[in-house]
Amino acid sequence: MNFSVPPSTLATNPTIAVLGFKRQLVYHLHFWAFIAVAPLVMVQWQQAHYLLSAVLVLFCVNALLVIAFLRFRGTYFLKGRLFPLLAVVSAAYSTHINGHAGLYWAYPAATALFFLLPLREAIGSNIIFVVVMAVVSFLRFPEADFWRITFSLGLTCLFAMIFAFLVGKLQQELTRLATTDPLTGCLNRSQLADILNGQIQMRERYERVSSLILLDLDYFKTINDQWGHLAGDKVLTEMALRLRKRLRESDQLFRIGGEEFMIVLPETRQKDADALAHQLLTSISARPFLEDIKVTASASVAEVSKGETWSVWLNRADQALYEAKSRGRNQVVNAARPLPVVGRGAENMPDSASG
C-alpha cells in the first residue's frame, strides 16, 4: 500500500482522499500503541519478565518504523504484518505470566487489527489470536473464566469485523459516488487528471502511446427544448451504453460536460483511435434514440505526445473538436501534433543550411 500522496490532491481526488484517511488511521494507531506499550517495557523488566520485555521492545520498534516510513517515505512498513504477530505473542505470553493483567491488552489489540490490515488478513489473524488466547486461558484460569474470556474476546472480534466491513463498504460507495456521473455511470472529472497523467507516464517511461477521443452530441439543446430534459437524460444514458459496447475493458469512459464525453484509450495509436471514433459516430447515428429522436455527434482524436502535460493534450483534442463543430458537425477531426521543440543550435543555423 502506497501512502505517498501530495496534500493538494486530497481534496480533488476522492480515491486518494480515502488513502489519506487510512494513512492517518494507521499512523495514530501505531503512535498511541507505542505510547501505551513503551512504559510497560520497564515495568516488565523490573518484574524480571525479560522475555516479555524484549517482545514489547520489538513491538515499540515496529511501531516507530511504521510511523517513520509513513512520515518520510509514504509507505506502510511491511504492510503492518508485524503488528498481529507481536500482538498475539505479547498478549498471550503476558496473560500466561501476569494473569488478568495481561489479558486486558488482548481486546484493543484484536480490535486494532481490523483497521491495520486488509479485512481477510485481519479475520485470519483474529481467528489465530482468539484460538491462542483460548488455549492460554484454559491453561491459566478456571474453566468458568476460560469460557467468559473466549466468548467475550470472540464477540469483540466479531463486532469489530462487522464495523470494519461496513466502514469499508461505505468508503467504496462514497468513492464510487464521488468519482462517477450519477446519470450515466461514467467517470467524472475528479479522476481525469490522474488517469491522463498515468497515460503520460507510460508514454515517457515505456514508450506506450495512448490516445483520447472527445465526443460531443450535436444540437443537444434542441432535444431538451423539444422533448424535455427527461428525454435528454435518457438519450445521455443510452449514449453511454452504446459507447461502452464498443470499448475494451482497459478503455475508460468519462462524462466531462453536459453532453460531452471523453474516452481514454491506452496503448492506442491515433489512426486506430480515429477508426474507433468513426465507428462510434456511426453507431450513434445508425438508429434513433427513444424510437424517434435522431442524434449525431462530433468527435476529435488526439494521441499523447512526448513531453506534453495532460492539460495540453486535452486542449489539443478540444481544439480539434471545436473544428469538427465548425466544419458542419457529425464528423471526426484529428488533433494537430505539437510542433517539435527547436534547439538553440537549430535556431542559429544559417538559411543556406536548410534544405
Side-chain angles (χ1 to χ4, degrees):
M1 187 183 300
N2 191 339
F3 291 98
S4 54
V5 179
S8 60
T9 64
L10 294 180
T12 58
N13 190 317
T15 303
I16 295 179
V18 169
L19 287 177
F21 287 121
K22 287 182 178 178
R23 169 180 176 165
Q24 294 180 37
L25 180 62
V26 170
Y27 184 95
H28 283 289
L29 281 176
H30 280 87
F31 175 80
W32 291 110
F34 173 79
I35 295 298
V37 173
L40 298 178
V41 174
M42 292 304 301
V43 171
Q44 298 302 321
W45 185 269
Q46 292 174 354
Q47 295 178 0
H49 298 152
Y50 302 120
L51 180 57
L52 178 59
S53 183
V55 174
L56 295 178
V57 167
L58 290 177
F59 187 93
C60 292
V61 170
N62 174 67
L64 290 176
L65 286 173
V66 169
I67 292 170
F69 271 66
L70 283 175
R71 190 171 185 84
F72 299 109
R73 298 185 60 179
T75 57
Y76 194 5
F77 177 69
L78 295 181
K79 297 183 179 181
R81 293 194 172 95
L82 272 182
F83 188 100
L85 174 62
L86 295 173
V88 170
V89 173
S90 300
Y93 186 55
S94 181
T95 301
H96 177 69
I97 61 178
N98 294 318
H100 289 90
L103 173 66
Y104 300 140
W105 294 99
Y107 293 87
T111 304
L113 294 183
F114 286 105
F115 300 95
L116 298 176
L117 297 174
L119 186 60
R120 289 186 179 181
E121 291 185 24
I123 292 173
S125 299
N126 269 281
I127 290 174
I128 296 173
F129 202 165
V130 172
V131 170
V132 170
M133 293 303 299
V135 172
V136 173
S137 300
F138 181 79
L139 298 174
R140 183 69 173 76
F141 303 113
E143 183 178 352
D145 285 352
F146 156 72
W147 289 111
R148 293 189 186 97
I149 293 167
T150 302
F151 276 100
S152 63
L153 185 58
L155 284 175
T156 300
C157 293
L158 178 63
F159 295 155
M161 180 193 70
I162 294 172
F163 181 76
F165 173 77
L166 293 177
V167 168
K169 285 292 184 183
L170 178 62
Q171 287 179 342
Q172 292 176 5
E173 182 63 15
L174 291 176
T175 301
R176 186 190 66 81
L177 292 173
T179 57
T180 59
D181 172 52
L183 178 64
T184 62
C186 301
L187 294 171
N188 61 25
R189 282 183 171 270
S190 67
Q191 301 283 77
L192 188 147
D194 287 323
I195 289 176
L196 292 184
N197 276 328
Q199 299 306 314
I200 289 173
Q201 290 174 7
M202 295 296 288
R203 173 74 173 88
E204 298 292 332
R205 294 178 183 177
Y206 308 110
E207 296 292 335
R208 294 182 179 176
V209 176
S210 301
S211 298
L212 63 83
I213 297 174
L214 287 185
L215 195 148
D216 190 83
L217 293 180
D218 298 329
Y219 304 110
F220 184 73
K221 186 176 183 299
T222 304
I223 297 175
N224 285 330
D225 294 340
Q226 187 172 349
W227 283 279
H229 289 278
L230 181 59
D233 289 346
K234 291 182 179 179
V235 168
L236 291 173
T237 303
E238 175 66 21
M239 172 79 166
L241 291 174
R242 292 192 189 185
L243 294 177
R244 284 195 185 94
K245 289 180 180 179
R246 296 276 179 170
L247 301 181
R248 304 167 299 181
E249 289 186 6
S250 59
D251 301 333
Q252 292 167 304
L253 177 62
F254 290 79
R255 183 188 176 196
I256 59 175
E259 66 274 11
E260 187 172 359
F261 295 82
M262 183 183 78
I263 305 168
V264 179
L265 305 169
E267 300 190 35
T268 305
R269 291 284 181 182
Q270 184 155 318
K271 64 177 182 178
D272 298 321
D274 176 72
L276 174 62
H278 280 91
Q279 293 173 14
L280 294 175
L281 294 195
T282 299
S283 69
I284 292 169
S285 60
R287 66 181 191 275
F289 288 71
L290 303 181
E291 298 183 357
D292 55 355
I293 302 177
K294 294 184 178 180
V295 178
T296 62
S298 304
S300 64
V301 177
E303 178 184 305
V304 64
S305 295
K306 200 165 187 177
E308 69 180 350
T309 63
W310 71 267
S311 57
V312 173
W313 182 18
L314 184 58
N315 184 64
R316 287 197 297 114
D318 197 51
Q319 293 298 318
L321 180 61
Y322 179 80
E323 185 176 348
K325 292 284 189 180
S326 64
R327 287 183 184 180
R329 306 173 192 265
N330 193 25
Q331 58 186 281
V332 179
V333 171
N334 283 263
R337 296 185 181 275
L339 295 174
V341 178
V342 180
R344 185 179 299 273
E347 291 177 358
N348 297 330
M349 189 177 295
D351 294 338
S352 59
S354 60

mmCIF file of all heavy atoms in Angstrom, residues 263-303:
data_model
loop_
_atom_site.group_PDB
_atom_site.id
_atom_site.type_symbol
_atom_site.label_atom_id
_atom_site.label_comp_id
_atom_site.label_asym_id
_atom_site.label_seq_id
_atom_site.Cartn_x
_atom_site.Cartn_y
_atom_site.Cartn_z
ATOM 1 N N ILE A 263 -13.072 9.542 -24.020
ATOM 2 C CA ILE A 263 -12.657 8.143 -23.936
ATOM 3 C C ILE A 263 -11.138 8.099 -23.943
ATOM 4 O O ILE A 263 -10.500 8.636 -24.849
ATOM 5 C CB ILE A 263 -13.197 7.324 -25.121
ATOM 6 C CG1 ILE A 263 -14.717 7.462 -25.207
ATOM 7 C CG2 ILE A 263 -12.796 5.865 -24.990
ATOM 8 C CD1 ILE A 263 -15.303 6.930 -26.502
ATOM 9 N N VAL A 264 -10.558 7.474 -22.935
ATOM 10 C CA VAL A 264 -9.110 7.294 -22.854
ATOM 11 C C VAL A 264 -8.782 5.889 -23.347
ATOM 12 O O VAL A 264 -9.329 4.900 -22.837
ATOM 13 C CB VAL A 264 -8.602 7.500 -21.417
ATOM 14 C CG1 VAL A 264 -7.091 7.281 -21.349
ATOM 15 C CG2 VAL A 264 -8.951 8.899 -20.923
ATOM 16 N N LEU A 265 -7.902 5.818 -24.337
ATOM 17 C CA LEU A 265 -7.573 4.547 -24.990
ATOM 18 C C LEU A 265 -6.105 4.211 -24.750
ATOM 19 O O LEU A 265 -5.224 4.704 -25.462
ATOM 20 C CB LEU A 265 -7.843 4.644 -26.491
ATOM 21 C CG LEU A 265 -9.260 5.086 -26.899
ATOM 22 C CD1 LEU A 265 -9.303 5.400 -28.377
ATOM 23 C CD2 LEU A 265 -10.272 4.004 -26.536
ATOM 24 N N PRO A 266 -5.798 3.393 -23.753
ATOM 25 C CA PRO A 266 -4.400 3.024 -23.502
ATOM 26 C C PRO A 266 -3.813 2.231 -24.667
ATOM 27 O O PRO A 266 -4.506 1.432 -25.305
ATOM 28 C CB PRO A 266 -4.476 2.165 -22.231
ATOM 29 C CG PRO A 266 -5.807 2.485 -21.621
ATOM 30 C CD PRO A 266 -6.710 2.797 -22.767
ATOM 31 N N GLU A 267 -2.517 2.473 -24.915
ATOM 32 C CA GLU A 267 -1.772 1.739 -25.939
ATOM 33 C C GLU A 267 -2.511 1.718 -27.285
ATOM 34 O O GLU A 267 -2.688 0.668 -27.901
ATOM 35 C CB GLU A 267 -1.479 0.316 -25.451
ATOM 36 C CG GLU A 267 -0.658 0.297 -24.161
ATOM 37 C CD GLU A 267 -0.148 -1.084 -23.804
ATOM 38 O OE1 GLU A 267 0.173 -1.836 -24.730
ATOM 39 O OE2 GLU A 267 -0.080 -1.389 -22.603
ATOM 40 N N THR A 268 -2.940 2.888 -27.710
ATOM 41 C CA THR A 268 -3.686 3.029 -28.962
ATOM 42 C C THR A 268 -3.119 4.186 -29.766
ATOM 43 O O THR A 268 -3.039 5.312 -29.261
ATOM 44 C CB THR A 268 -5.180 3.281 -28.689
ATOM 45 O OG1 THR A 268 -5.696 2.248 -27.860
ATOM 46 C CG2 THR A 268 -5.962 3.342 -29.979
ATOM 47 N N ARG A 269 -2.733 3.910 -30.994
ATOM 48 C CA ARG A 269 -2.251 4.957 -31.892
ATOM 49 C C ARG A 269 -3.412 5.817 -32.398
ATOM 50 O O ARG A 269 -4.567 5.419 -32.358
ATOM 51 C CB ARG A 269 -1.523 4.324 -33.086
ATOM 52 C CG ARG A 269 -0.204 3.658 -32.726
ATOM 53 C CD ARG A 269 0.869 4.689 -32.498
ATOM 54 N NE ARG A 269 2.161 4.079 -32.172
ATOM 55 C CZ ARG A 269 3.245 4.776 -31.895
ATOM 56 N NH1 ARG A 269 3.199 6.094 -31.904
ATOM 57 N NH2 ARG A 269 4.372 4.165 -31.601
ATOM 58 N N GLN A 270 -3.048 6.986 -32.923
ATOM 59 C CA GLN A 270 -4.074 7.929 -33.354
ATOM 60 C C GLN A 270 -4.912 7.368 -34.499
ATOM 61 O O GLN A 270 -6.127 7.554 -34.530
ATOM 62 C CB GLN A 270 -3.427 9.254 -33.771
ATOM 63 C CG GLN A 270 -4.445 10.335 -34.139
ATOM 64 C CD GLN A 270 -3.905 11.728 -33.960
ATOM 65 O OE1 GLN A 270 -3.241 12.007 -32.968
ATOM 66 N NE2 GLN A 270 -4.179 12.596 -34.914
ATOM 67 N N LYS A 271 -4.288 6.648 -35.423
ATOM 68 C CA LYS A 271 -5.044 6.108 -36.561
ATOM 69 C C LYS A 271 -6.073 5.081 -36.091
ATOM 70 O O LYS A 271 -7.187 5.002 -36.642
ATOM 71 C CB LYS A 271 -4.097 5.508 -37.589
ATOM 72 C CG LYS A 271 -3.296 4.309 -37.101
ATOM 73 C CD LYS A 271 -2.425 3.728 -38.210
ATOM 74 C CE LYS A 271 -1.660 2.486 -37.724
ATOM 75 N NZ LYS A 271 -0.838 1.894 -38.819
ATOM 76 N N ASP A 272 -5.723 4.280 -35.073
ATOM 77 C CA ASP A 272 -6.673 3.305 -34.543
ATOM 78 C C ASP A 272 -7.792 3.993 -33.764
ATOM 79 O O ASP A 272 -8.948 3.585 -33.821
ATOM 80 C CB ASP A 272 -5.949 2.299 -33.653
ATOM 81 C CG ASP A 272 -4.912 1.490 -34.418
ATOM 82 O OD1 ASP A 272 -5.191 1.120 -35.568
ATOM 83 O OD2 ASP A 272 -3.815 1.256 -33.872
ATOM 84 N N ALA A 273 -7.416 5.055 -33.026
ATOM 85 C CA ALA A 273 -8.428 5.825 -32.303
ATOM 86 C C ALA A 273 -9.367 6.523 -33.283
ATOM 87 O O ALA A 273 -10.580 6.631 -33.035
ATOM 88 C CB ALA A 273 -7.755 6.838 -31.387
ATOM 89 N N ASP A 274 -8.826 6.982 -34.404
ATOM 90 C CA ASP A 274 -9.646 7.624 -35.437
ATOM 91 C C ASP A 274 -10.650 6.630 -36.004
ATOM 92 O O ASP A 274 -11.836 6.966 -36.207
ATOM 93 C CB ASP A 274 -8.744 8.173 -36.535
ATOM 94 C CG ASP A 274 -9.524 8.777 -37.685
ATOM 95 O OD1 ASP A 274 -10.109 9.861 -37.498
ATOM 96 O OD2 ASP A 274 -9.575 8.151 -38.761
ATOM 97 N N ALA A 275 -10.204 5.418 -36.267
ATOM 98 C CA ALA A 275 -11.119 4.394 -36.780
ATOM 99 C C ALA A 275 -12.231 4.096 -35.773
ATOM 100 O O ALA A 275 -13.408 3.952 -36.153
ATOM 101 C CB ALA A 275 -10.337 3.123 -37.101
ATOM 102 N N LEU A 276 -11.875 4.003 -34.497
ATOM 103 C CA LEU A 276 -12.881 3.762 -33.468
ATOM 104 C C LEU A 276 -13.864 4.928 -33.386
ATOM 105 O O LEU A 276 -15.076 4.725 -33.244
ATOM 106 C CB LEU A 276 -12.204 3.555 -32.107
ATOM 107 C CG LEU A 276 -13.142 3.432 -30.910
ATOM 108 C CD1 LEU A 276 -14.047 2.211 -31.048
ATOM 109 C CD2 LEU A 276 -12.344 3.344 -29.604
ATOM 110 N N ALA A 277 -13.355 6.161 -33.473
ATOM 111 C CA ALA A 277 -14.230 7.336 -33.403
ATOM 112 C C ALA A 277 -15.264 7.313 -34.527
ATOM 113 O O ALA A 277 -16.448 7.628 -34.308
ATOM 114 C CB ALA A 277 -13.392 8.605 -33.466
ATOM 115 N N HIS A 278 -14.847 6.948 -35.728
ATOM 116 C CA HIS A 278 -15.801 6.850 -36.836
ATOM 117 C C HIS A 278 -16.843 5.767 -36.566
ATOM 118 O O HIS A 278 -18.037 5.949 -36.875
ATOM 119 C CB HIS A 278 -15.055 6.555 -38.144
ATOM 120 C CG HIS A 278 -14.436 7.765 -38.776
ATOM 121 N ND1 HIS A 278 -13.139 8.164 -38.496
ATOM 122 C CD2 HIS A 278 -14.924 8.667 -39.657
ATOM 123 C CE1 HIS A 278 -12.854 9.251 -39.196
ATOM 124 N NE2 HIS A 278 -13.926 9.586 -39.906
ATOM 125 N N GLN A 279 -16.424 4.642 -35.987
ATOM 126 C CA GLN A 279 -17.371 3.580 -35.653
ATOM 127 C C GLN A 279 -18.390 4.063 -34.618
ATOM 128 O O GLN A 279 -19.578 3.743 -34.701
ATOM 129 C CB GLN A 279 -16.632 2.358 -35.122
ATOM 130 C CG GLN A 279 -15.758 1.660 -36.147
ATOM 131 C CD GLN A 279 -14.920 0.554 -35.526
ATOM 132 O OE1 GLN A 279 -15.166 0.141 -34.390
ATOM 133 N NE2 GLN A 279 -13.925 0.076 -36.258
ATOM 134 N N LEU A 280 -17.908 4.838 -33.645
ATOM 135 C CA LEU A 280 -18.803 5.347 -32.605
ATOM 136 C C LEU A 280 -19.829 6.307 -33.186
ATOM 137 O O LEU A 280 -21.027 6.249 -32.836
ATOM 138 C CB LEU A 280 -17.986 6.036 -31.510
ATOM 139 C CG LEU A 280 -17.065 5.135 -30.686
ATOM 140 C CD1 LEU A 280 -16.226 5.960 -29.713
ATOM 141 C CD2 LEU A 280 -17.855 4.085 -29.920
ATOM 142 N N LEU A 281 -19.400 7.196 -34.070
ATOM 143 C CA LEU A 281 -20.347 8.126 -34.690
ATOM 144 C C LEU A 281 -21.383 7.375 -35.524
ATOM 145 O O LEU A 281 -22.562 7.744 -35.549
ATOM 146 C CB LEU A 281 -19.597 9.133 -35.565
ATOM 147 C CG LEU A 281 -18.657 10.118 -34.857
ATOM 148 C CD1 LEU A 281 -18.300 11.269 -35.799
ATOM 149 C CD2 LEU A 281 -19.246 10.664 -33.576
ATOM 150 N N THR A 282 -20.940 6.324 -36.183
ATOM 151 C CA THR A 282 -21.875 5.514 -36.976
ATOM 152 C C THR A 282 -22.902 4.833 -36.077
ATOM 153 O O THR A 282 -24.105 4.799 -36.393
ATOM 154 C CB THR A 282 -21.101 4.458 -37.781
ATOM 155 O OG1 THR A 282 -20.191 5.116 -38.667
ATOM 156 C CG2 THR A 282 -22.057 3.598 -38.586
ATOM 157 N N SER A 283 -22.446 4.281 -34.951
ATOM 158 C CA SER A 283 -23.372 3.602 -34.035
ATOM 159 C C SER A 283 -24.361 4.581 -33.404
ATOM 160 O O SER A 283 -25.493 4.201 -33.086
ATOM 161 C CB SER A 283 -22.593 2.864 -32.940
ATOM 162 O OG SER A 283 -21.971 3.779 -32.067
ATOM 163 N N ILE A 284 -23.947 5.832 -33.238
ATOM 164 C CA ILE A 284 -24.838 6.837 -32.654
ATOM 165 C C ILE A 284 -25.921 7.245 -33.647
ATOM 166 O O ILE A 284 -27.101 7.365 -33.291
ATOM 167 C CB ILE A 284 -24.027 8.065 -32.200
ATOM 168 C CG1 ILE A 284 -23.134 7.693 -31.010
ATOM 169 C CG2 ILE A 284 -24.949 9.229 -31.821
ATOM 170 C CD1 ILE A 284 -22.107 8.745 -30.662
ATOM 171 N N SER A 285 -25.536 7.454 -34.895
ATOM 172 C CA SER A 285 -26.490 7.949 -35.895
ATOM 173 C C SER A 285 -27.251 6.827 -36.590
ATOM 174 O O SER A 285 -28.215 7.089 -37.323
ATOM 175 C CB SER A 285 -25.760 8.792 -36.940
ATOM 176 O OG SER A 285 -24.758 8.018 -37.598
ATOM 177 N N ALA A 286 -26.844 5.562 -36.403
ATOM 178 C CA ALA A 286 -27.439 4.448 -37.151
ATOM 179 C C ALA A 286 -28.910 4.243 -36.823
ATOM 180 O O ALA A 286 -29.716 3.945 -37.712
ATOM 181 C CB ALA A 286 -26.656 3.171 -36.873
ATOM 182 N N ARG A 287 -29.282 4.397 -35.563
ATOM 183 C CA ARG A 287 -30.688 4.208 -35.203
ATOM 184 C C ARG A 287 -31.102 5.280 -34.202
ATOM 185 O O ARG A 287 -30.282 5.764 -33.416
ATOM 186 C CB ARG A 287 -30.922 2.813 -34.631
ATOM 187 C CG ARG A 287 -30.259 2.528 -33.319
ATOM 188 C CD ARG A 287 -30.556 1.096 -32.862
ATOM 189 N NE ARG A 287 -30.157 0.863 -31.500
ATOM 190 C CZ ARG A 287 -28.934 0.522 -31.120
ATOM 191 N NH1 ARG A 287 -27.971 0.396 -32.029
ATOM 192 N NH2 ARG A 287 -28.665 0.321 -29.835
ATOM 193 N N PRO A 288 -32.374 5.657 -34.213
ATOM 194 C CA PRO A 288 -32.840 6.749 -33.354
ATOM 195 C C PRO A 288 -32.754 6.382 -31.867
ATOM 196 O O PRO A 288 -32.761 5.220 -31.487
ATOM 197 C CB PRO A 288 -34.291 6.960 -33.793
ATOM 198 C CG PRO A 288 -34.407 6.286 -35.108
ATOM 199 C CD PRO A 288 -33.433 5.146 -35.088
ATOM 200 N N PHE A 289 -32.717 7.396 -31.039
ATOM 201 C CA PHE A 289 -32.820 7.249 -29.591
ATOM 202 C C PHE A 289 -34.294 7.408 -29.217
ATOM 203 O O PHE A 289 -35.005 8.252 -29.782
ATOM 204 C CB PHE A 289 -31.994 8.311 -28.877
ATOM 205 C CG PHE A 289 -30.503 8.090 -28.964
ATOM 206 C CD1 PHE A 289 -29.826 8.282 -30.173
ATOM 207 C CD2 PHE A 289 -29.769 7.714 -27.862
ATOM 208 C CE1 PHE A 289 -28.459 8.089 -30.256
ATOM 209 C CE2 PHE A 289 -28.400 7.518 -27.928
ATOM 210 C CZ PHE A 289 -27.745 7.707 -29.136
ATOM 211 N N LEU A 290 -34.754 6.614 -28.273
ATOM 212 C CA LEU A 290 -36.146 6.682 -27.819
ATOM 213 C C LEU A 290 -37.114 6.587 -28.990
ATOM 214 O O LEU A 290 -38.136 7.273 -29.035
ATOM 215 C CB LEU A 290 -36.392 7.973 -27.030
ATOM 216 C CG LEU A 290 -35.503 8.216 -25.799
ATOM 217 C CD1 LEU A 290 -35.881 9.519 -25.119
ATOM 218 C CD2 LEU A 290 -35.620 7.069 -24.824
ATOM 219 N N GLU A 291 -36.770 5.783 -29.985
ATOM 220 C CA GLU A 291 -37.625 5.452 -31.126
ATOM 221 C C GLU A 291 -37.750 6.560 -32.167
ATOM 222 O O GLU A 291 -37.913 6.274 -33.353
ATOM 223 C CB GLU A 291 -39.031 5.043 -30.649
ATOM 224 C CG GLU A 291 -39.026 3.794 -29.772
ATOM 225 C CD GLU A 291 -40.433 3.373 -29.388
ATOM 226 O OE1 GLU A 291 -41.383 4.083 -29.760
ATOM 227 O OE2 GLU A 291 -40.566 2.340 -28.704
ATOM 228 N N ASP A 292 -37.714 7.849 -31.784
ATOM 229 C CA ASP A 292 -37.948 8.887 -32.783
ATOM 230 C C ASP A 292 -36.989 10.068 -32.684
ATOM 231 O O ASP A 292 -37.144 11.050 -33.401
ATOM 232 C CB ASP A 292 -39.385 9.399 -32.687
ATOM 233 C CG ASP A 292 -39.735 9.892 -31.287
ATOM 234 O OD1 ASP A 292 -38.893 9.745 -30.386
ATOM 235 O OD2 ASP A 292 -40.839 10.428 -31.115
ATOM 236 N N ILE A 293 -35.998 10.010 -31.800
ATOM 237 C CA ILE A 293 -35.048 11.111 -31.668
ATOM 238 C C ILE A 293 -33.751 10.740 -32.386
ATOM 239 O O ILE A 293 -33.030 9.843 -31.957
ATOM 240 C CB ILE A 293 -34.747 11.428 -30.182
ATOM 241 C CG1 ILE A 293 -36.036 11.786 -29.435
ATOM 242 C CG2 ILE A 293 -33.751 12.568 -30.078
ATOM 243 C CD1 ILE A 293 -35.833 12.037 -27.954
ATOM 244 N N LYS A 294 -33.491 11.410 -33.488
ATOM 245 C CA LYS A 294 -32.274 11.154 -34.243
ATOM 246 C C LYS A 294 -31.154 12.036 -33.717
ATOM 247 O O LYS A 294 -31.326 13.244 -33.532
ATOM 248 C CB LYS A 294 -32.505 11.423 -35.725
ATOM 249 C CG LYS A 294 -33.490 10.446 -36.367
ATOM 250 C CD LYS A 294 -33.623 10.691 -37.855
ATOM 251 C CE LYS A 294 -34.580 9.676 -38.490
ATOM 252 N NZ LYS A 294 -34.716 9.909 -39.955
ATOM 253 N N VAL A 295 -30.009 11.426 -33.475
ATOM 254 C CA VAL A 295 -28.874 12.121 -32.856
ATOM 255 C C VAL A 295 -27.623 11.867 -33.681
ATOM 256 O O VAL A 295 -27.389 10.754 -34.162
ATOM 257 C CB VAL A 295 -28.646 11.643 -31.410
ATOM 258 C CG1 VAL A 295 -27.434 12.333 -30.795
ATOM 259 C CG2 VAL A 295 -29.879 11.901 -30.560
ATOM 260 N N THR A 296 -26.836 12.911 -33.844
ATOM 261 C CA THR A 296 -25.493 12.767 -34.402
ATOM 262 C C THR A 296 -24.503 13.350 -33.395
ATOM 263 O O THR A 296 -24.885 14.003 -32.424
ATOM 264 C CB THR A 296 -25.344 13.496 -35.748
ATOM 265 O OG1 THR A 296 -25.571 14.902 -35.545
ATOM 266 C CG2 THR A 296 -26.325 12.959 -36.766
ATOM 267 N N ALA A 297 -23.229 13.114 -33.652
ATOM 268 C CA ALA A 297 -22.195 13.605 -32.739
ATOM 269 C C ALA A 297 -20.965 14.010 -33.532
ATOM 270 O O ALA A 297 -20.745 13.555 -34.652
ATOM 271 C CB ALA A 297 -21.840 12.539 -31.711
ATOM 272 N N SER A 298 -20.172 14.873 -32.934
ATOM 273 C CA SER A 298 -18.875 15.268 -33.481
ATOM 274 C C SER A 298 -17.799 14.749 -32.552
ATOM 275 O O SER A 298 -18.020 14.609 -31.347
ATOM 276 C CB SER A 298 -18.786 16.790 -33.604
ATOM 277 O OG SER A 298 -19.845 17.295 -34.385
ATOM 278 N N ALA A 299 -16.632 14.465 -33.127
ATOM 279 C CA ALA A 299 -15.572 13.871 -32.315
ATOM 280 C C ALA A 299 -14.208 14.390 -32.747
ATOM 281 O O ALA A 299 -14.026 14.860 -33.880
ATOM 282 C CB ALA A 299 -15.604 12.349 -32.416
ATOM 283 N N SER A 300 -13.267 14.300 -31.820
ATOM 284 C CA SER A 300 -11.871 14.622 -32.111
ATOM 285 C C SER A 300 -10.998 13.536 -31.518
ATOM 286 O O SER A 300 -11.387 12.852 -30.559
ATOM 287 C CB SER A 300 -11.488 15.983 -31.530
ATOM 288 O OG SER A 300 -11.569 15.969 -30.118
ATOM 289 N N VAL A 301 -9.816 13.384 -32.094
ATOM 290 C CA VAL A 301 -8.877 12.350 -31.660
ATOM 291 C C VAL A 301 -7.522 13.000 -31.439
ATOM 292 O O VAL A 301 -7.076 13.818 -32.250
ATOM 293 C CB VAL A 301 -8.758 11.234 -32.710
ATOM 294 C CG1 VAL A 301 -7.726 10.196 -32.278
ATOM 295 C CG2 VAL A 301 -10.109 10.575 -32.943
ATOM 296 N N ALA A 302 -6.864 12.640 -30.327
ATOM 297 C CA ALA A 302 -5.528 13.177 -30.044
ATOM 298 C C ALA A 302 -4.673 12.090 -29.418
ATOM 299 O O ALA A 302 -5.071 11.468 -28.427
ATOM 300 C CB ALA A 302 -5.609 14.389 -29.123
ATOM 301 N N GLU A 303 -3.509 11.871 -30.004
ATOM 302 C CA GLU A 303 -2.522 10.945 -29.446
ATOM 303 C C GLU A 303 -1.572 11.737 -28.555
ATOM 304 O O GLU A 303 -1.161 12.844 -28.913
ATOM 305 C CB GLU A 303 -1.751 10.260 -30.571
ATOM 306 C CG GLU A 303 -0.662 9.306 -30.095
ATOM 307 C CD GLU A 303 0.128 8.729 -31.262
ATOM 308 O OE1 GLU A 303 -0.497 8.146 -32.162
ATOM 309 O OE2 GLU A 303 1.368 8.880 -31.255
#
